[in-house]
Amino acid sequence: MDNKIIADMFNEIAAMLSLDDRPNTRFEVRAYQKAAQTVGSLQEAIEDIYRRGGLPALMELPGIGKSIAGSIGEYIKTGRMEKYDYLKRMYPIDMKGLTSIQGLGARKALALYKSLKVRDIPSLKKVLAAHKISKLEGFGEKSEEMIQKGLDLLERSSGRMLLGDALPVAEEIVKKLKASGLVDEALVAGSARRMRETVGDLDILALSGKSEQVMGFFAALPEVEERIAEGPTRTAVRLKIGLNCDLRVIPTESFGAAVQYFTGSKDHNVQVRTISVRKGYKLNEYGLFDRKGKIMPTKTEEEIYAKLGLQWMPPEMREARGEVQLAQKNALKMPVEVGDIRGDMHTHGRDKDPNTDPLDVMAGEAIRLGLRYFASTNHTKSLKVENGMNERQFESFFRQVDALNKRLDGRMRILKGAECDILKDGSLDLDAKSLKSMDWVVGSVHSAFNQSEQEMTKRVVKALDSGLVDVLGHPTGREMPARDAYRIDLEKVYEAAERNRVALEINAQPKRLDLNDTNIMNASKYKVKFAIDSDAHRTPQFSYMRYGVGTARRGWLTKDRIVNAMSLKELEKYLGV
Ligand code: DGT
Ligand code: CA
Ligand code: CA
Ligand code: ZN
């Protein structure tokens, strides 16, 4: 039913027309407002009225004249409305985004556009920060405050949280549910299971016949701030970390279907459902049903995919990016797993850097985690805040690495390296001799993020062309939520990486995840390898690796593309050391 869409468009048209103060447009403004009201309050789908009686039927509705009826017909037939498109070109404003802020209606949004060029939420934030709204005629300090409050509220309620902050809490809850003795099975579903870089809310599923007790136990957990909603099989809570979490209790015969459904993504599910329909089945969160409507009990999601004739695929791949089509042909290649990772090619750590743990402590943790090798890649001299080292300091530090390697006696191989700054002009922060003496050089941009796309691309390509870099560190420089990727022509960077046999990093720090999943999909069309790196500065950060692996899996990368999935022998051959 298009009623709401059309009513919203009419309201927006009215708001845009109201910017023009000529008397006859004032008449038009009121006409569109009235039409919006009529369409918005209809009980019947407007497209049905139109199909039944055409334009004359529309014109019988209160406040709908010939021209507005024409616009409605146009929208129903073509999905567009010329008048709306024309005004939208004149006033390129994200009206939907702006008016989703409490206290900011269409009129005010337009006034802000007219006087302060506010087009969308980011530009609104700027004028709010500069306190420009309070000085506007018809706004004032109160108004500004209200808009700010509305914006804060919107951000808090629609705010997504980093996977690295959300997933550990979800897993802790699952652990407690399992330990409660009330459930046979529990797992994290939704975007967190798909390892999306941010999650909107957490979805936990429990297999149990004691739904009431399970939900009571869940709501009383210390992670929970308050209960938001409750039904017979679902409880929604607000967690103390500031995220909502749904728990659903599912009976055995539906569990496989529920896991498949609530893992998503929604778009993936739509495609899977189409296939089930073609087979004459029905698939929803309650189960998989045969032609007669009888449930086919499925305890695992593997059974669901098998019954539909689809190859099973990891949750990370379920984003409707072609995986369903390949799964039909059994042609999906399974992506790299955490268990394939043998080493870590970007880590920090030395005695004299208070921002890091000492190298021997880092090595101890790497051994404990079952790694076979890691590259010690401390910062170089221009990065003063990170206590970067010069050539001489690296030389003396490497003597300690040699001594430690000897002491570890083959239990761990520490590669000698650096995370070398790529300076503004694309030159490197250490001399060539020093870099050539190292086993592994990460080249990274840490400054002048606001260069033009052309400058930044030239800078990075020049660094890769130097032949001194082994991997490009965090290639886009983004840090969620505050810093966006810098402007750079990634295709040119991938070409340069391929040409120079430079690997691309998948930095696993939860705020980075750089390259991200879609970048990886594009980059993997080139003949390049990838290094999934924790970039650990302290021992607990080695555990970030899983987020990097999750991101690689979302980008469909197979094990053979990953530098640090090589055995130490293979790696030594690859590096020629
Ligand atoms: P989020 O929470 O925004 O990070 O993303 P998700 O994917 O966790 O989405 P959420 O929490 O709204 O729903 C969890 C899963 O439930 C979702 O991945 C797929 C399934 N789902 C939700 N709504 C629909 C729907 O309308 N149709 C279908 N087919 N599946 C849905
Ligand atoms: Ca979710
Ligand atoms: Ca949810
Ligand atoms: Zn680093």
Side-chain angles (χ1 to χ4, degrees), residues 175-192:
K175 204 169 103 191
K176 289 178 181 173
L177 283 169
K178 283 182 170 166
S180 72
L182 294 168
V183 309
D184 298 320
E185 179 86 64
L187 59 83
V188 182
S191 51

Side-chain angles (χ1 to χ4, degrees), residues 84-115:
Y84 177 83
D85 289 351
Y86 164 77
L87 286 165
K88 209 66 192 161
R89 278 194 296 277
M90 269 179 48
Y91 305 112
I93 310 173
D94 174 21
M95 193 57 93
K96 202 157 168 240
L98 286 170
T99 54
S100 66
I101 296 168
Q102 243 176 61
L104 190 63
R107 275 197 87 90
K108 275 190 176 170
L110 278 163
L112 289 176
Y113 171 74
K114 221 173 171 183
S115 46

Side-chain angles (χ1 to χ4, degrees), residues 21 62 417:
D21 330 349

Side-chain angles (χ1 to χ4, degrees), residues 257 260-261 269 272-273 276-277 281-289 304 308:
Q260 196 283 324
Y261 182 91
N269 286 354
V272 170
R273 188 181 300 159
S276 80
V277 168
Y281 300 155
K282 196 173 103 189
L283 174 65
N284 57 32
E285 65 214 89
Y286 304 109
L288 180 60
F289 301 87
I304 300 275
L308 297 178

